[in-house]
Amino acid sequence: MHATVVLQREGDVGQVIIDNPPVNALSLAVREQLLQRLQEALADSAIQAIVIACQGRTFVAGADLKAFDLPLQAPHLPDVLAAIEQASKPVVAALHGSAFGGGLELALACHYRVAAPDAQFALPEVSLGLIPGAGGTQRLPRLCGAQVALAMVLGGERIGAAQALSIGLLDRLSDASVLACATHFAREVMDKPIPRACDRSVPEFDPQVFHERAQALLRKTPGQEAPAIALQALQDAWQLPFAEGIARERERFIARRHSEQARALRHVFFAERDLASRCRALARQAPTRPIDLVAVVGAGTMGSGIALCLANAGFATRLIDTQPEALARGRATIDRYFSSVVEKGRLDTDEAARRATLIEFDSSIEGVARADLVIEAVFEDLAVKQAVFRQLDRFAKPGAILATNTSYLDIDAIAAVTTRSGDVIGMHFFSPAHVMKLLEVVRTSQVQADVLATVLQLGERLGKTAVAVGNCYGFVGNRLLAVREREASFLLEEGATPEDVDRVIRQFGFPMGPFELRDLAGVDIAWRNRQGRAEQLSAAERSCNWIEQLHEAGRLGQKTAAGFYRYEDGQRRGLPDPYVARMLVAHRQSRGLEPRVIDDEEILDRCLFAMIHEAANLLEQGIVDSPNDIDLVWIHGYGFPRYRGGLLYHADRVGLSRIVEGLSRWTALRPERGLRVSALLQSMAAQGCSFIRPFLSGS
Ligand code: NAD
């Protein structure tokens, strides 16, 4: 589709209209034509003022990310915006939809801004590893003050039109047509002196408050380079003259554009878009079933969270638990949640009440009768789940989708007890279910195409990143988690400590390490899991029995204030525990394992390479459709640092031959583990392949 920018005359006002579907991104063609149309309007003596507006559903929603891996091409956006700002006739931006990134920077370079009431404003560059590169860090603080600029540039805050008007970002809100309103406004101001952001100085502000807020925002983005650099750029706005500030911003932007983190974040952005478009394609192929009423069976941690998630998305929900006390606990959790969001000002009282009334409570499984979708979230036990599914088969209406939230169990075995296995599917939410973005949608061998399409689409309506995965032990996320925990456990046998492993994993960018996570989730959960899978564990895994030892000692993790760490006075941060140190020594001695010093590089590589190895198995077995899906599962469900692009993106950066070499070396060190390096991985390494096909320009 060709971008066009046209100049049309409305009496003495020149209207420059950008038309570059779908979101009017600032491509090279748009920049070139925008500049030309501006020059034509300036040269036309019949035109006294200029309005810049967009066709379609939004004003310019940002730069053209697809071009970011290509060389920079003139005219550069800052030069186009400088020409707008320096124009001798007043220029008014007519804004609607999402004026984000370069779109907002374009608006800031105009002399006035008029917006439709639904317009939204944001500078999301930092979330892409960048900083605003076309004056955003210099013009925004001059127009709206340092604190607003800080919240938008570092905090990624998105603001609506009413707020934008109150902070001086806008000059007027339009009523009907924003183009007509902006044109009218342009006539009102055409004889007035032209106000330019570059001529203003940053309004006075309290530097101490600014500093404290900036530090608080930086703490929220550990490991990321862009926020600190964006802060430096913002500070230039009051420490340097405008021209110098703009030049420094540009240098910083160009350096960021080529940085590893920005590349990785662009990759994730495109991977997410790719996932969404595959999901839409699937929905086009198969008709979806209507979902109005959802029943959730089991009102525990997950069931209550899932009910909240559904109500927040506007679904009528029936939460069912056969234990009256459990149902009462679920109700209390839900009430507490709605009170707290009102207290925090996230919802007004009426809206919270409206959502709360969407959830009904029921103590009988027969309550599923009218539901279009049933999500089961009872105990993680195959027999218990099968008993529930027999009842669902009996009471649910024909055509209802029957989903299970199991974390590990075989969903084919659950579906098999029903007479409608094609309607059964996995919906694996993460805890807390109303917060976590990931939803693994687990295909069973007999699932109907419309059931899969319906659930994937529902995931989108719930605001989740819904990834379709195959049915296997732990699906994608927990299967890789189990592998990382196993490798971390072997590292303890060989000489590492839980503190070493957790520190290294945290330094890589995860919110916590495997042993901290185990203490949080519960040693008893892992113990039950190992008991249930005793036959599948290798001899080496059975022998590496930290979980059994801790379980026997009653050290179940945070809930008993002791696990791999000890916890004092309800603190969530664990302390190293001499008990565990003694346990490690005795265990190694009893197995004749000579401890060695294991450096941080080996710890990190072993944890990640083991996961990469398992990811290759997942691909080979067709559990996922794309390597990107593995990356998205771990970014959205397990805290894999987004700025590192994902597990398999990381694998490609490291190089598959180095990974195969490492795996082979460590396997030789512990032959009793019996690991055979994946043939797929070996052949990919030998052929110089990579996992990820880059989403380069045009893809
Ligand atoms: P939970 O113990 O907090 O809640 C289970 C609830 O199910 C209890 O309230 C119980 O009364 C109810 N229940 C049991 N049998 C029932 C029946 N026959 N009919 C109706 N209700 C019944 O457990 P949870 O942590 O919420 O986990 C539920 C499921 O979600 C499990 O399959 C678990 O593996 C999975 N899961 C848990 C997490 C997590 O972090 N907790 C994360 C993802 C998935």
Side-chain angles (χ1 to χ4, degrees), residues 413-667:
I414 295 173
V417 303
T418 70
T419 56
R420 35 171 135 176
S421 47
D423 293 339
V424 177
I425 194 164
M427 284 181 80
H428 186 208
F429 288 85
F430 289 73
S431 180
H434 56 291
V435 176
M436 294 293 287
K437 287 286 280 180
L438 181 63
L439 175 67
E440 277 183 319
V441 176
V442 189
R443 293 182 288 245
T444 54
S445 56
Q446 303 198 20
V447 69
Q448 304 272 350
D450 63 337
V451 171
L452 180 63
T454 305
V455 171
L456 284 171
Q457 211 174 50
L458 174 73
E460 207 175 343
R461 285 170 72 189
L462 297 178
K464 302 291 183 198
T465 300
V467 182
V469 300
N471 181 32
C472 65
Y473 171 77
F475 320 122
V476 170
N478 280 345
R479 184 160 150 184
L480 295 181
L481 185 70
V483 164
R484 186 180 75 174
E485 189 166 340
R486 183 180 66 198
E487 197 63 32
S489 299
F490 285 136
L491 281 164
L492 298 194
E493 282 192 325
E494 291 168 41
T497 64
E499 301 87 273
D500 291 335
V501 178
D502 287 339
R503 175 181 46 77
V504 168
I505 294 296
R506 253 187 283 110
Q507 278 169 358
F508 180 76
F510 280 101
M512 64 179 84
F515 299 110
E516 292 161 327
L517 184 61
R518 173 48 55 216
D519 275 359
L520 176 69
V523 169
D524 50 333
I525 307 268
W527 179 82
R528 216 169 303 129
N529 202 309
R530 277 172 67 90
Q531 297 297 304
R533 288 175 29 87
E535 280 160 28
Q536 283 99 299
L537 298 180
S538 67
E541 282 173 273
R542 269 200 298 276
S543 167
C544 186
N545 63 349
W546 310 122
I547 292 296
E548 284 77 9
Q549 294 189 50
L550 292 174
H551 188 263
E552 197 180 333
R555 299 178 63 107
L556 306 185
Q558 285 196 16
K559 63 180 93 164
T560 56
F564 282 98
Y565 296 92
R566 66 192 169 86
Y567 298 84
E568 277 182 2
D569 308 329
Q571 295 275 337
R572 310 197 95 202
R573 193 72 198 231
L575 300 167
D577 193 336
Y579 178 94
V580 172
R582 283 195 300 276
M583 175 179 84
L584 299 187
V585 170
H587 176 95
R588 291 174 194 137
Q589 276 172 355
S590 70
R591 284 153 178 79
L593 293 163
E594 190 60 44
R596 62 189 173 90
V597 176
I598 304 180
D599 63 24
D600 290 359
E601 190 182 345
E602 180 179 336
I603 291 176
L604 181 67
D605 285 353
R606 277 183 58 178
C607 290
L608 294 181
F609 291 6
M611 292 170 69
I612 292 163
H613 184 257
E614 193 66 12
N617 292 336
L618 286 168
L619 284 167
E620 199 169 19
Q621 293 160 12
I623 299 295
V624 281
D625 299 331
S626 153
N628 293 325
D629 292 353
I630 293 178
D631 287 2
L632 293 179
V633 163
W634 262 68
I635 287 170
H636 289 293
Y638 298 82
F640 190 100
R642 189 178 171 92
Y643 59 83
R644 292 194 188 269
L647 180 68
L648 294 182
Y649 181 89
H650 176 75
D652 290 345
R653 311 301 302 162
V654 172
L656 302 197
S657 45
R658 209 193 114 203
I659 293 169
V660 167
E661 184 271 317
L663 287 167
S664 309
R665 186 156 31 91
W666 300 315
T667 304

Side-chain angles (χ1 to χ4, degrees), residues 652-689:
D652 290 345
R653 311 301 302 162
V654 172
L656 302 197
S657 45
R658 209 193 114 203
I659 293 169
V660 167
E661 184 271 317
L663 287 167
S664 309
R665 186 156 31 91
W666 300 315
T667 304
L669 275 181
R670 300 281 308 270
E672 77 278 14
R673 285 179 52 187
L675 179 83
R676 294 239 308 278
V677 179
S678 141
L680 174 69
L681 201 54
Q682 294 204 42
S683 81
M684 285 177 74
Q687 294 170 46
C689 296

Side-chain angles (χ1 to χ4, degrees), residues 300-302 321-323 326 377-380 385 388 405 407 429 431:
T301 311
M302 293 308 291
D321 202 301
T322 44
Q323 299 296 318
V378 305
F379 304 130
E380 184 75 352
K385 292 206 191 270
V388 169
N405 183 47
S407 308
F429 288 85
S431 180

